[in-house]
Every structure is written in C-alpha cells, then in structure tokens.
Amino acid sequence: MFTAQPQHASLSSSKIQHVPTFRPSETIAGGQKIGGFTRKKSNNVTGLRSRVIRAVISSSEDSKTSPGGANVVEKSKGNNGALSSSSVSGGIEVRAAITIRKKMKEKITEKFEDQWESFINGIGRGILIQLISEDIDPVTKSGKSAESYVRGLPKPSNHPYILEYAANLIVPNDFGCPGAILITNLLDKEFYLVDVVVHNFSEGPQFFPANTWIHSRKDNPESRIIFKNQAYLPSQTPIGIKDLRREDLLSIRGNGKGERKMHERVYDYAVYNDLGNPDKGDELVRPSIGGKEMPYPRRCRTGRPPTKKDSLSESRIEKPHPIYVPRDEAFEEIKQNTFSAGRLKALLHNLIPLISSTLSSSDNAFTCFSEIDKLYIDGVRLKDEDQKDIIQNQFISNLMNQIFTVGGRLLKYEIPAVIKRDRFSWLRDNEFARQALAGVNPVNIELLKELPILSKLDPAVYGPPESAISRELIEQELNGMTLEEAIKNKRLFILDYHDMLLPFIERMNSLPGRKAYASRTIFFYTPTGILRPIVIELSLPPSSTSPRNKHIFIHGHDATTHWIWKLAKAHVCSNDAGIHQLVNHWLKTHACMEPYIIATHRQLSSMHPIFKLLHPHMRYTLEINALARQGLINGGGIIEACFSPGEYAMEISSAAYKSMWRFDMEALPADLIQRGMAVEDPSMPCGVKLVIEDYPYAADGLLIWSAIKDLVEAYVDYYYSDDNYITSDVELQAWWNEIKNKGHYDKRNEPWWPNLATKEDLSSILTIMIWIASGQHAAINFGQYPFGGYVPNRPTLMRKLIPEEDDPAYEKFLLNPDQTFLSSLPTQLQATKVMAVQDTLSTHSPDEEYLHQLQNLQSVSIKDPEVKKLFEKFSDKLEDIERTINKRNRNFSLKNRCGAGIPPYELLLPSSGPGVTGRGIPNSISI
C-alpha cells in the first residue's frame, strides 16, 4: 500500500511540493469513510451541462512546470504512442488540470473575492480533489484513491472567464484507470467547474466533463462526484466506482422533505399547487392541478411552505425572486445576459408592467387597422417616469434596446412574417386554411370520416350530440362532388374544438371582456391542391333562454355575410390560439417533458448511456417551466390576462390531458394516423403516407422523426446487444417505472403505456422524448410571433359574440363592420402584452444548441469513436434534410409553401441564427 506524507510549501516557493495523502484507514476532516477509502461527503446532483468549454491541453504539457509553478514530471512516448510518466518513490505522479469558469459580469466586491480565492487556491486550501480508480483495492474493497489540494496560481487563458488550476497527485503503480473524481470546495462560495483533465496516465489524458456548479462546503459538507466520459450500463460499471454510482443517484433524489435551497441538486415531484396566491385575495385562488379531479403531469418539487389561507396551496415566490430548480438546471450566465433569462425576466418584471402603466388607463380597442400598423411603424410611446428604474439599470436598458428596439420612449415591433410579404393575406380563406397545415398550430386538423359529427359530451348537460353541420351545407361547397365521394377520397377535414371547450364556455363568457364559442370548422381539399374552409359551427351551452345554441356560418358573397364569416373565422382563430398555447405547446411539450427530465436525473446515472443520450435534450427546461409558473400560467399571469379561457386556462389544459394525452400517440407517425392525416404504408421511410402530400409540418417533421429514430435505434443497438440487457438494466427499468408511476401519476393505470422489454421498445420511447423536446417544440413554438404577432390573424381572445339580427348591436355592425371587428379583438394593452411575449418565446438565444450540433456535444461526454460516428452520421443527415426542405420551399406545385406573398415553411429547418428567425430546431425546450 502506497502512502505519501504531506510536505507543505510557502507561496514564495518556486516549486510546490506535492501534498497527497492516501490512508484508507483514516477519515479526513469533515468527511466519511465509504467502503474503505476516504472521501468528502458528496452533494446532490452530478449534473452535466451540454454547453462545454473544453479544457485546453496546452503544448506546455511537455514542460516540467505546470500552471502556478507546480512540479510536473517529464513524460515520454511509449511504444503505442500513449504518454507515460516517470515513476517517483512509491508511485506515479499525475497532473490534474481543473478548468473553472468565472462570472462574466462581476461587481467590485466579487473581483476582490476572486483574488482572495486565487490566494486560497494558491496555498492549497481552496479545492481538494480525490482521484478514484476503476480498480478495487483488495484490502479496502473499494476503488483505489489518491488525493491532493489544488495549488498554485491559475494558468493564463485566452478566454477572459476561464481559469485553469493544477493539482499533482501520486498514485500507486497499480492504480489502474481513473473512473471518478471527488471535488470538495473549501471556499466560501460555489464555483463553476467546466472539466478536469488528468495527464500522465499511460492510456493518455483522462477527461472528466463536469459543466456543473460545485457548492461550498459551508452549504453542504458533502463533496461532488464527477465521472469520466465513459458510458457504462449498471452491470458493466467498474467495481471501483460502483458504490459512487449508487450513492450519487441517492443524493440526487433527496428525501422528499423540507424546502429546497438554491444551491441544491435535488430532483423530486410535486403537483401544480403554486399557481394561485390565496393570501393576496380570493381573485387569485386557483385549484391544484394534478390529482384525480384535475390530472396533470408532475412538476419539480420546491418544498415551499403552504399559504396561510390554504394548506394545500404552496406559497409563491413572486418575481423577480427566483424559484428553485436544481442548481445545474438554471440558465447559464451567457443565456441570462444575452437572452432568455434576462429577456424573459426583463419582459415579465419590467416591460409588461411598463406597458400596463402606459396603456391601462386608456385600455381601448383598436379603432382602425392603421393603429395596429403603427405598432410596427411608430411603436408604443412609454411614459418617461415609468422608465426611470429601467434607465438606471444599464443591463436591463441595454437588453431592452437590443430586444425590443426601445429607444428613448419607443417600443417598436418587427413586422410579423405573415404580413411582411402580403399585408392582406390574413383576410383570405386559403391563408386561414393553409395555416392549419403550415402555421404555428398544425397539429389539430383531422380527416372527417363520417357525418353526422357527434359530440362525446353528456347530452343531458350539453344537449343533443349531433352537430348542426348538415350534408346539404357541405355538398353545396363540393363543386358537384357528393358527400360520400368526398369522404371516400379523403377530401374533407375538420378542426374540432367543440368538446374541449364547450364545458368551459359559460364560465369563460362570465369573465369581463371575454366572449367565446366552442367551434368546429370543415375544410374541403380541392382537386387543385387548395384547402378551403367551407362551414363553421360556433356553439354556446344550451339554455332555456337560448335553445338555439349551434350557429352555422358559410362564406357568402354579399357584404354582410362576408363580414360575419370574417368574425366567425376570428373566433376559430381565437380558439386555435388558446388550444395551441395551453394544450399543444405548454402541456404536450413543456409540462410533459418535465417528469422525463426529473426521472432521468433520479434514476439514470450520469454514466448511463441513455442519460448521456438524453442529456442535451433536457437543457434549461426546468428553469423555463419555473419561470412560466411565476409569470405566464399563474393566476393573474399573461396567459390568463390575454387568452380567452382567462382564469380557467389551466383547468382546460388539465381536461385536455385527461381526455386526449397518450404517450404512445405522441410519436409523429402515430399522431398523423390517429388524426387520419396519414395512412400506414410499409414502403415509406416512416411507414406512413400522407393523405395531403403538401402538409409542410408533417412532411418535414417525418424527415426529422426518421433521422432521430435511426440515430436512437443505432445507439441503443450499440449499447444493448440483446433484449436481456434491457430487462436486466435496473436503472433503466426504474426510470421507466418512475415516469409512469410518479411523473405521470394520474395516468399510471392506463393500458396504453408501452412496455420496456426490448430494444425496439426502448428506441421507440426515446425517439418520442427526443422528438418532443426538439422537432415538435420547434414546430409549435418559434412561429408564435411570425404568425401571432399580427393580432387580426390570430387573436388570443374575442371580446364580443357575433351580432345577430335581433341584437341591438346588429345595426352598429351594419353601419361600421370594421369597428365591430376591431372592438371584438384584444384591447391595445392585451395585444401589446401578447406581442411582447410571443416575440420573446419565438427568439433563439445566441448560445442555443441545435439538433445538428449533437455530434459536438456528445463527443465531450462519450469518448467511444463508434458512437461519435453515429452522431456524425446524424448531423450529415440533418444537413441533407435542410437541403431537402429548402428545395421543397422553392417548388411552386406545393402551394402551402410557395406562392405570391406566402412565407416559406421553415420551422423545421434544423439550423438557425439568433433572434426571431422562424426556423431552427434546438435540442431542448429552452424557451
């Protein structure tokens, strides 16, 4: 057994003599013995960051001096070209290069703290590292170990925010290959560890990617475990680090008790019981979402105490104070400073209140269309006195200048893509229909398979189930085709929000400034390849005073019918905007991904190949969801203030989860088949053939889906040689069971959950998750401002019902239909708020990580060259897909992509630059 005694050196010494101490029988101060070797207690999560700044392995490696003057032995090339190190008495000396990232923007006090920390590190009292071998010590029955303090001044770096420290360790001659490093932070505050590279092993440099915050020992006495960039199934874990693998997962799960602290890395589940704020008043009381009555996916637990008035509601952390997310889930500083966190927080905490104070006293309807145009031409003039705080805060002032073109007192918006080429396109029926296939919400249109259309709602409550849309109404629009021929030839389609909304309409319409219908819209796909709306049904709940609750609208040719048809379309668009935001966007991507992320951290070690595969697709999602609970979907938040459902928004989202959501139907091919938009065809790449070939979302989406599927299948096949490895993988089985039984607890007994017994099962599950996080979210998120930034195209709420002939407002409508239409739209304040939110949600961050960049990200955490080839092949495939999509967008036979004034469909183009580009597929849901 090798033991090296410490020899301390002063700062003035030109050489710092090595200080490692390895005594398996002893316990170091503040630590504990685990299986025979000594380590500091490890804190919660080993969270990796997909954004990696690699440690520079410099050419000075061959010199005898490491950064800060630490002694480094000379190395020589072995026969195989690997570096080998000189032996020292009793062992081999190796060097660890520790790369730390500083804050980009520091206060004066923080700069002094940095200098003090450099001094502490220099004398070897700041950071302790312990190297753990993959081989077991026969005496202690644990991984062989060696430890040392970081010593010396940081090495100069080309990057102003990167510091590289060094530590020398002496390991026994039979140490073997290192598998883990324990990091103990003895400083007073956390630091961001980029990576650790250990040199002088005969196998070459050993890389330990970290990209994680290392907490201070004063916050938590446990040290952090950082594993090497090698993927291991649980059964294949080297014996020397098996205990660490198990312990790391246990620490991440926590004990389910107490309020979480901001430095912690504990992942656990809770219901959505923090959306209301009953302590502030009855108007902010909201029900808990999640449970038998209102089922919902689970969110990340924060453990805050209950409110004073309601013991079942969790007290809120109001803006601008942060909500807990596990430490490594929070936005990195580059994202905070250059975009999303800073942008979204500036929006919610500064700009929205500023807009409100400017416009709320005169919150009027638009009186003419030119007033809407002025938002892009002249902008909104903000009050000087309300800008005082913002102007004093230089960062927020610069940020808002950058984002919103705020100059002086002016808030201007870019012209949305939908009207940039043709400002009147939104008026046309074919554009209204085209957006059902190529807009921001192209996932609700279905094939109409039979007539009459029947509701599934209780007829005792909601009246007869038959729709008022009749054969005669449809056939008069079919150009001589019979109903049977149209159905047989798959020419009729429907956008049906009747059953989803009707149970809420009465309550929605009781809210001030809200008037909505439950809608059905029938489309005819013409022989010339144009989708055309032909009938709209708008329904209200039946009542004794109004037995006629189903209203039918067709596009007539006289002026009055034309304007009424336009109002009916606006109500459909309002419903579409609400369902898009609450169901397809928030619920099916953001909320449903959260349990997958929590379970992945709790049950899959960061060494697990499936963790490594999923990790880039989990980035920032918990943080953006926490921000949404704080300012978007909360009681009184932006969604309630500016969308039709108002305070019932999350209840509608819950009802949709209860009646509609199925994990297996989130697969793109399965969803298209279920909606009748595709039929099974084994000869096609994804096994499906589109009913409408010119369906841009589906056509491009299937290309992305197929590429993801091929990558996942090859990846799974590489790590799992047969199905027995799937069923015997204890972490993997626990992961899937937890997703079903904890993360989606309210759906745990559903029969449609896939089994996890074969490689095919695993590949299918993973493909769905990666598709949801990447392609699906991109398709329904980044078009929000391009399509919704022009209020008449997609009003988020309607404030008036359509006037009828016996209505006093009908005469006003006849005299001034423009004014009736505009006064039915959101107010100027509501519209401006929504535009600000949509602009933010549609913007890519400068540090965004895109799907085609996976090979760069994964090369850091997976060193296997065969696996790297899989990701390189995937990247090449995405480049081919981008070329294919661009070619499609120049094909004038595809009328939903090309034509006069029509913006090309680019939402599923893999790459993008920063900003509102209307294209680009990020790896994860990060906005």
Side-chain angles (χ1 to χ4, degrees):
M1 181 60 58
F2 164 71
T3 302
Q5 298 296 333
Q7 300 176 31
H8 300 286
S10 67
L11 248 192
S12 60
S13 171
S14 61
K15 288 185 179 180
I16 297 180
Q17 298 179 22
H18 181 60
V19 219
T21 301
F22 172 58
R23 290 196 181 106
S25 60
E26 295 180 0
T27 303
I28 56 178
Q32 59 180 340
K33 285 201 296 184
I34 296 180
F37 66 78
T38 303
R39 57 154 297 199
K40 297 285 184 180
K41 293 180 182 179
S42 74
N43 185 37
N44 303 323
V45 68
T46 304
L48 301 176
R49 277 285 182 237
S50 53
R51 178 169 179 80
V52 174
I53 304 174
R54 292 289 301 268
V56 178
I57 304 173
S58 68
S59 58
S60 63
E61 220 174 38
D62 294 324
S63 70
K64 294 186 179 182
T65 305
S66 70
N71 185 50
V72 178
V73 296
E74 292 188 54
K75 297 177 293 295
S76 60
K77 294 274 186 176
N79 293 332
N80 61 0
L83 291 172
S84 61
S85 59
S86 303
S87 294
V88 295
S89 176
I92 299 170
E93 188 167 13
V94 298
R95 177 172 64 91
I98 298 95
T99 305
I100 293 171
R101 191 179 69 207
K102 295 195 308 178
K103 286 181 67 175
M104 297 178 186
K105 295 182 180 292
E106 290 187 314
K107 300 174 183 175
I108 296 295
T109 55
E110 290 174 325
K111 291 181 179 180
F112 283 124
E113 288 173 359
D114 283 349
Q115 293 176 2
W116 173 249
E117 287 171 6
S118 292
F119 170 76
I120 296 299
N121 286 331
I123 63 173
R125 287 294 178 267
I127 302 170
L128 176 68
I129 73 167
Q130 192 171 0
L131 196 60
I132 310 298
S133 173
E134 293 183 341
D135 295 345
I136 196 167
D137 188 302
V139 176
T140 65
K141 306 301 181 186
S142 293
K144 298 172 185 176
S145 171
E147 69 180 41
S148 176
Y149 288 95
V150 167
R151 286 181 175 275
L153 298 175
K155 176 183 175 181
S157 167
N158 293 330
H159 196 294
Y161 312 119
I162 293 297
L163 303 175
E164 187 179 301
Y165 288 95
N168 289 350
L169 303 94
I170 294 179
V171 301
N173 290 311
D174 61 350
F175 185 81
C177 204
I181 289 180
L182 309 182
I183 305 285
T184 305
N185 176 8
L186 305 174
L187 303 166
D188 287 336
K189 66 178 183 179
E190 65 181 2
F191 64 83
Y192 191 86
L193 179 65
V194 178
D195 56 36
V196 179
V197 182
V198 183
H199 304 278
N200 301 355
F201 278 96
S202 60
E203 296 85 354
Q206 303 295 299
F207 185 56
F208 295 79
N211 290 294
T212 183
W213 289 96
I214 307 296
H215 61 272
S216 169
R217 192 172 63 169
K218 73 175 186 178
D219 290 326
N220 187 333
E222 297 181 348
S223 56
R224 287 293 308 284
I225 306 170
I226 308 296
F227 293 108
K228 194 170 62 174
N229 63 333
Q230 176 69 52
Y232 290 114
L233 296 177
S235 61
Q236 299 166 341
T237 311
I239 192 168
I241 56 175
K242 264 191 172 181
D243 286 347
L244 291 181
R245 180 173 187 146
R246 181 169 56 251
E247 186 195 343
D248 191 46
L249 282 173
L250 287 173
S251 68
I252 286 168
R253 295 170 196 159
N255 59 11
K257 298 177 182 178
E259 183 173 356
R260 298 269 64 88
K261 304 298 188 294
M262 297 305 291
H263 69 270
E264 293 181 325
R265 294 171 177 83
V266 174
Y267 293 76
D268 206 352
Y269 302 95
V271 296
Y272 283 73
N273 62 348
D274 64 339
L275 300 179
N277 197 343
D279 291 345
K280 276 197 170 183
D282 292 344
E283 70 279 4
L284 290 178
V285 171
R286 296 293 181 273
S288 291
I289 307 295
K292 186 176 180 180
E293 296 300 318
M294 295 184 186
Y296 217 60
R298 296 304 189 255
R299 65 170 174 92
C300 186
R301 179 184 178 276
T302 59
R304 297 192 300 270
T307 61
K308 295 175 182 177
K309 289 187 177 180
D310 182 2
S311 62
L312 298 179
S313 293
E314 187 174 271
S315 56
R316 285 182 56 76
I317 298 291
E318 296 294 355
K319 53 193 181 185
H321 304 293
I323 297 180
Y324 168 81
V325 294
R327 185 64 182 95
D328 288 335
E329 303 298 327
F331 288 135
E332 293 181 24
E333 191 181 5
I334 186 172
K335 186 160 178 113
Q336 290 175 334
N337 287 347
T338 56
F339 167 63
S340 192
R343 181 188 178 101
L344 191 58
K345 286 177 180 176
L347 170 77
L348 296 176
H349 309 160
N350 301 96
L351 185 62
I352 293 298
L354 190 55
I355 293 171
S356 297
S357 65
T358 298
L359 297 176
S360 59
S361 59
S362 57
D363 184 18
N364 302 318
F366 293 105
T367 58
C368 58
F369 286 97
S370 61
E371 285 186 344
I372 300 174
D373 294 339
K374 283 181 180 179
L375 292 172
Y376 319 109
I377 300 169
D378 297 336
V380 177
R381 299 207 168 268
L382 304 174
K383 295 177 181 177
D384 283 328
E385 60 270 23
D386 293 320
Q387 292 190 83
K388 195 177 302 178
D389 293 339
I390 291 180
I391 292 170
Q392 289 173 353
N393 186 324
Q394 190 62 41
F395 164 64
I396 293 176
S397 178
N398 292 341
L399 180 69
M400 293 172 68
N401 269 292
Q402 172 194 345
I403 297 165
F404 297 112
T405 322
V406 179
R409 296 182 295 121
L410 195 62
L411 169 64
K412 286 180 67 174
Y413 293 93
E414 292 292 323
I415 298 174
V418 71
I419 60 164
K420 199 164 191 176
R421 301 182 181 198
D422 180 357
R423 60 179 298 199
F424 300 111
S425 64
W426 67 277
L427 286 166
R428 295 195 302 270
D429 283 355
N430 62 344
E431 178 60 21
F432 170 80
R434 188 188 75 86
Q435 290 181 31
L437 298 172
V440 69
N441 189 42
V443 296
N444 282 109
I445 188 169
E446 301 178 65
L447 182 71
L448 182 64
K449 298 176 181 178
E450 59 184 4
L451 219 64
I453 303 165
L454 298 176
S455 169
K456 295 178 182 177
L457 298 175
D458 184 355
V461 179
Y462 299 104
E466 295 83 7
S467 166
I469 298 174
S470 66
R471 166 191 288 268
E472 291 73 27
L473 281 168
I474 292 176
E475 285 191 335
Q476 70 184 18
E477 299 292 337
L478 299 185
N479 301 327
M481 192 181 295
T482 67
L483 177 68
E484 287 75 16
E485 288 173 329
I487 289 177
K488 180 182 177 181
N489 295 328
K490 295 181 169 59
R491 291 285 178 181
L492 292 175
F493 298 86
I494 184 170
L495 204 57
D496 191 346
Y497 298 133
H498 179 275
D499 286 9
M500 203 181 305
L501 291 177
L502 192 61
F504 295 91
I505 291 295
E506 188 171 1
R507 284 181 287 167
M508 287 165 55
N509 287 349
S510 68
L511 298 171
R514 300 285 204 285
K515 288 293 181 282
Y517 303 90
S519 63
R520 289 188 179 108
T521 308
I522 305 297
F523 299 90
F524 175 52
Y525 189 58
T526 68
T528 59
I530 296 296
L531 193 66
R532 188 163 57 87
I534 56 175
V535 183
I536 293 174
E537 178 187 63
L538 301 179
S539 299
L540 296 170
S543 68
S544 56
T545 57
S546 179
R548 181 173 165 265
N549 66 313
K550 295 182 173 71
H551 304 267
I552 296 295
F553 302 89
I554 56 173
H555 52 84
H557 300 287
D558 63 282
T560 302
T561 309
H562 173 76
W563 268 106
I564 289 177
W565 173 251
K566 195 183 300 183
L567 285 167
K569 288 196 299 181
H571 274 279
V572 172
C573 289
S574 175
N575 286 351
D576 192 70
I579 297 302
H580 162 260
Q581 198 66 264
L582 295 168
V583 179
N584 300 323
H585 181 212
W586 169 255
L587 167 65
K588 288 191 171 185
T589 63
H590 284 258
C592 284
M593 274 300 298
E594 188 149 345
Y596 311 152
I597 294 168
I598 297 170
T600 300
H601 282 281
R602 284 169 56 87
Q603 298 298 341
L604 298 181
S605 166
S606 59
M607 284 191 286
H608 200 292
I610 302 306
F611 180 96
K612 291 180 180 292
L613 176 68
L614 289 176
H615 189 259
H617 307 292
M618 304 188 292
R619 185 185 191 223
Y620 293 155
T621 303
L622 297 190
E623 171 82 347
I624 198 67
N625 286 3
L627 284 171
R629 298 202 312 275
Q630 194 176 43
L632 292 175
I633 63 170
N634 60 301
I638 301 297
I639 300 299
E640 287 193 2
C642 301
F643 284 75
S644 285
E647 65 188 69
Y648 306 108
M650 288 300 288
E651 292 184 44
I652 290 176
S653 192
S654 170
Y657 178 71
K658 182 177 184 178
S659 64
M660 293 172 49
W661 186 83
R662 289 179 50 159
F663 179 85
D664 57 335
M665 290 296 110
E666 294 304 292
L668 178 59
D671 170 63
L672 293 171
I673 291 170
Q674 182 188 43
R675 291 190 283 121
M677 301 304 293
V679 294
E680 292 188 49
D681 185 343
S683 67
M684 300 298 287
C686 292
V688 297
K689 182 179 180 181
L690 295 177
V691 169
I692 298 178
E693 181 185 350
D694 186 16
Y695 183 2
Y697 158 77
D700 295 356
L702 286 171
L703 295 177
I704 302 296
W705 170 272
S706 179
I708 295 171
K709 180 173 178 285
D710 289 347
L711 169 67
V712 170
E713 287 178 346
Y715 187 92
V716 167
D717 194 57
Y718 182 81
Y719 283 104
Y720 294 92
S721 57
D722 60 54
D723 294 340
N724 290 331
Y725 281 98
I726 300 287
T727 54
S728 63
D729 187 332
V730 292
E731 289 183 7
L732 190 70
Q733 294 298 327
W735 167 76
W736 184 234
N737 286 331
E738 184 163 295
I739 285 171
K740 295 183 294 182
N741 296 316
K742 287 189 176 182
H744 285 273
Y745 179 84
D746 301 325
K747 294 270 191 176
R748 65 194 182 283
N749 295 322
E750 296 288 354
W752 40 252
W753 282 105
N755 293 319
L756 182 50
T758 68
K759 293 191 289 183
E760 289 74 20
D761 294 337
L762 178 58
S763 296
S764 174
I765 289 166
L766 294 171
T767 302
I768 289 173
M769 291 180 180
I770 294 172
W771 161 251
I772 294 298
S774 57
Q776 179 69 2
H777 180 258
I780 59 178
N781 179 72
F782 292 104
Q784 290 195 69
Y785 187 79
F787 286 99
Y790 186 67
V791 181
N793 184 60
R794 282 181 70 78
T796 55
L797 61 81
M798 296 293 283
R799 297 190 298 127
K800 294 181 179 180
L801 296 176
I802 297 174
E804 300 182 43
E805 290 187 18
D806 56 354
D807 191 325
Y810 191 74
E811 187 174 348
K812 290 182 180 179
F813 159 67
L814 293 176
L815 292 172
N816 194 341
D818 265 25
Q819 195 276 331
T820 297
F821 182 87
L822 289 167
S823 64
S824 299
L825 300 180
T827 64
Q828 294 187 34
L829 173 59
Q830 290 167 331
T832 307
K833 282 183 178 181
V834 168
M835 289 167 68
V837 171
Q838 289 176 332
D839 180 75
T840 296
L841 298 182
S842 301
T843 303
H844 289 292
S845 165
D847 80 329
E848 196 73 88
E849 293 171 354
Y850 296 95
L851 200 56
H852 69 286
Q853 297 170 326
L854 271 179
Q855 85 276 19
N856 299 325
L857 303 170
Q858 292 291 13
S859 66
V860 174
S861 61
I862 305 174
K863 67 178 183 180
D864 194 311
E866 293 303 313
V867 177
K868 290 180 182 178
K869 289 179 184 177
L870 298 181
F871 287 102
E872 289 168 1
K873 183 179 178 181
F874 176 69
S875 179
D876 292 341
K877 183 70 177 291
L878 290 182
E879 289 181 9
D880 290 340
I881 289 173
E882 187 147 330
R883 286 189 285 269
T884 298
I885 293 174
N886 285 327
K887 186 177 179 181
R888 288 174 175 177
N889 285 333
R890 295 190 296 270
N891 182 351
F892 281 89
S893 69
L894 301 175
K895 297 181 175 62
N896 289 317
R897 297 175 178 271
C898 294
I902 293 176
Y905 187 78
E906 296 182 330
L907 288 170
L908 285 168
L909 279 172
S911 67
S912 175
V916 180
T917 63
R919 58 177 289 167
I921 304 177
N923 287 316
S924 63
I925 299 167
S926 59
I927 188 60

